Amino acid sequence: MRFPWSRPREGTGWSWQSNQGLVAIPIVLVLVITVADVLSPPDVHLGPLLVVAPALTASFGSSRLTALIGILATGALFTIAAVRNSIFTSNHESQLVALIVISVFTVFFCRLRERHNTELKQVRSVAEAAQEVVLHPLPERIGPLSVAFLYEAAADQARIGGDLYAAVRTRGGTRLLIGDVRGKGLMALDDADLLLGAFRSAAHRELPLEALQAELDAVVTWGLAQPNRHGHDAEESFITGALIDVPDHEPRISILNSGHPAPLRLRDGRVTMLSPRRYAPPFGIPLPQDPGAAPDVYDFAPGDLLLLYTDGVTEARDTAGDFYPLAERLPDIVPGGMHPFDLLTVLREDLLRHASGSLGDDAAVVAVRRDIPGRPRTV
């Protein structure tokens, strides 16, 4: 797939393939300690230091490898005792017993960690599969538009996010949706599926954006009021979102924003925030429809690029606690005329660099460019 779609990252444990060289460290330690003990004076005992070998192995190796290093260390201690002719002394017997006990406990806890990592991997796999069923990949091209999308999972990948996006083709254009569900977990995923399903079934009917927003809001409000939902989080659920209508043959776009971060328009290296004159209420909040919340119309000429995003992008913090300045960063990292795929690739690298490689919340971005007629749409 030629999009910077980022699946939840695997666990923090190191793999055998990437750390084979580390196995030499405990082995070398066992050899060095053994030789040093044998060559030391009779009153100097370095054998107890052999416990470092299995303990160190547990930090990067499997329980089986840890057990093997523990056996190696025990054999080395037995060798030291044999060379010193002190196998049956209380000193070496106590050292052997202590080393065996510590090695057994180290292997036991290493095994518990492996079981935990396996369970967490299964949870992540289920979460990823469920989210990909709800979030359909966007096509690379829709009419006169080139499209790319990005979903970057937060550091806590076991929590399913509620970021969402969708695109529906109409007879004379394309309708887009970007949104963010309040909360996390399966309930947030269910809410996202509710809004996405309503959008996909209604957007192609070419209702005015005000009518489409009202219909989506009615569906979400109905879904949030169902008796199977309970608890404090359920009572305060809502979805921010933005509906975008992009006609094929007119250099403009219409945006109806329901409490969502304002989209950005990139034109000739300049970034414009498309803030609404008045926000519509978020989906799912039982308020009277605001007659003042009407779509805003903006220029969207060939070559222009529209960036839709969730607050996981702009609320990503660096080590000093500062938010990611998306609008300010784009002119510095994105040259004019960049393809949406390339833009999101660069944006993702810059975002993760700002957040030291770990986001606090899921982040979704959709980049849409109106292609110039007659110019090849190359990546």
Side-chain angles (χ1 to χ4, degrees):
M1 185 177 297
R2 299 175 62 196
F3 303 106
W5 170 277
S6 178
R7 293 178 172 80
R9 295 177 289 274
E10 297 299 330
T12 56
W14 295 345
S15 66
W16 162 258
Q17 291 79 6
S18 61
N19 295 278
Q20 295 182 38
L22 294 178
V23 179
I25 297 177
I27 295 176
V28 170
L29 281 175
V30 170
L31 295 176
V32 170
I33 292 172
T34 301
V35 173
D37 195 303
V38 169
L39 298 179
S40 297
D43 60 336
V44 176
H45 301 282
L46 301 177
L49 295 178
L50 289 169
V51 73
V52 173
L56 180 62
T57 305
S59 67
F60 64 85
S62 65
S63 58
R64 180 176 299 179
L65 178 60
T66 303
L68 290 175
I69 296 297
I71 293 172
L72 178 63
T74 303
L77 188 57
F78 188 84
T79 301
I80 292 172
V83 172
R84 287 177 174 268
N85 295 318
S86 57
I87 296 178
F88 300 107
T89 63
S90 58
N91 182 36
H92 275 95
E93 287 179 352
S94 62
Q95 291 180 23
L96 282 168
V97 171
L99 178 58
I100 292 172
V101 170
I102 293 176
S103 296
V104 168
F105 271 98
T106 303
V107 172
F108 173 73
F109 285 108
C110 189
R111 180 57 183 163
L112 288 181
R113 182 194 65 193
E114 289 176 343
R115 291 182 60 183
H116 173 74
N117 288 342
T118 299
E119 293 172 357
L120 183 58
K121 185 176 180 180
Q122 291 174 346
V123 171
R124 288 170 176 160
S125 178
V126 172
E128 177 186 349
Q131 200 150 24
E132 288 189 359
V133 168
V134 173
L135 282 178
H136 299 171
L138 300 180
E140 182 179 358
R141 294 176 180 174
I142 309 177
L145 308 177
S146 291
V147 180
F149 66 93
L150 163 67
Y151 191 102
E152 186 67 26
D156 183 5
Q157 297 98 15
R159 301 174 67 199
I160 304 174
D163 292 10
L164 58 96
Y165 46 78
V168 172
R169 185 76 178 137
T170 64
R171 287 179 297 177
T174 302
R175 286 194 162 172
L176 304 166
L177 169 67
I178 185 78
D180 190 359
V181 179
R182 180 192 177 277
K184 296 286 183 181
L186 291 175
M187 186 175 294
L189 187 64
D190 184 59
D191 295 346
D193 185 47
L194 182 69
L195 178 58
L196 287 169
F199 174 76
R200 290 167 181 148
S201 65
H204 71 281
R205 289 157 44 197
E206 300 181 346
L207 299 172
L209 286 187
E210 304 95 310
L212 178 60
Q213 197 274 347
E215 181 165 335
L216 299 183
D217 181 68
V219 171
V220 172
T221 302
W222 168 83
L224 298 182
Q226 293 306 298
N228 63 320
R229 299 177 58 89
H230 53 81
H232 178 73
D233 289 341
E235 295 175 358
E236 297 187 357
S237 294
F238 60 85
I239 307 174
T240 66
L243 294 169
I244 301 95
D245 185 36
V246 187
D248 286 347
H249 305 294
E250 299 180 40
R252 63 174 178 82
I253 53 173
S254 299
I255 302 177
L256 183 55
N257 196 316
S258 299
H260 197 75
L264 301 176
R265 184 187 62 197
L266 285 74
R267 172 184 293 174
D268 298 328
R270 300 189 306 273
V271 177
T272 303
M273 183 170 291
L274 306 183
S275 302
R277 291 169 297 176
R278 190 167 184 177
Y279 284 95
F283 299 106
I285 295 182
L287 295 175
Q289 288 298 312
D290 186 352
D296 295 282
V297 180
Y298 305 94
D299 292 336
F300 192 57
D304 289 352
L305 192 144
L306 182 70
L307 196 68
L308 313 173
Y309 56 95
T310 61
D311 58 11
V313 177
T314 52
E315 294 182 1
R317 296 177 182 266
D318 60 11
T319 54
D322 296 327
F323 292 123
Y324 181 69
L326 176 61
E328 290 78 8
R329 290 293 300 150
L330 283 177
D332 296 330
I333 65 175
V334 178
M338 179 174 280
H339 189 278
F341 174 84
D342 297 322
L343 184 151
L344 294 191
T345 300
V346 173
L347 175 59
R348 176 179 180 272
E349 293 174 354
D350 192 64
L351 175 63
L352 292 178
R353 189 182 306 113
H354 174 86
S356 300
S358 179
L359 300 181
D361 192 8
D362 289 359
V365 188
V366 177
V368 180
R369 186 184 69 184
R370 186 187 291 277
D371 293 309
I372 300 174
R375 179 176 297 182
R377 295 182 283 188
T378 58
V379 176

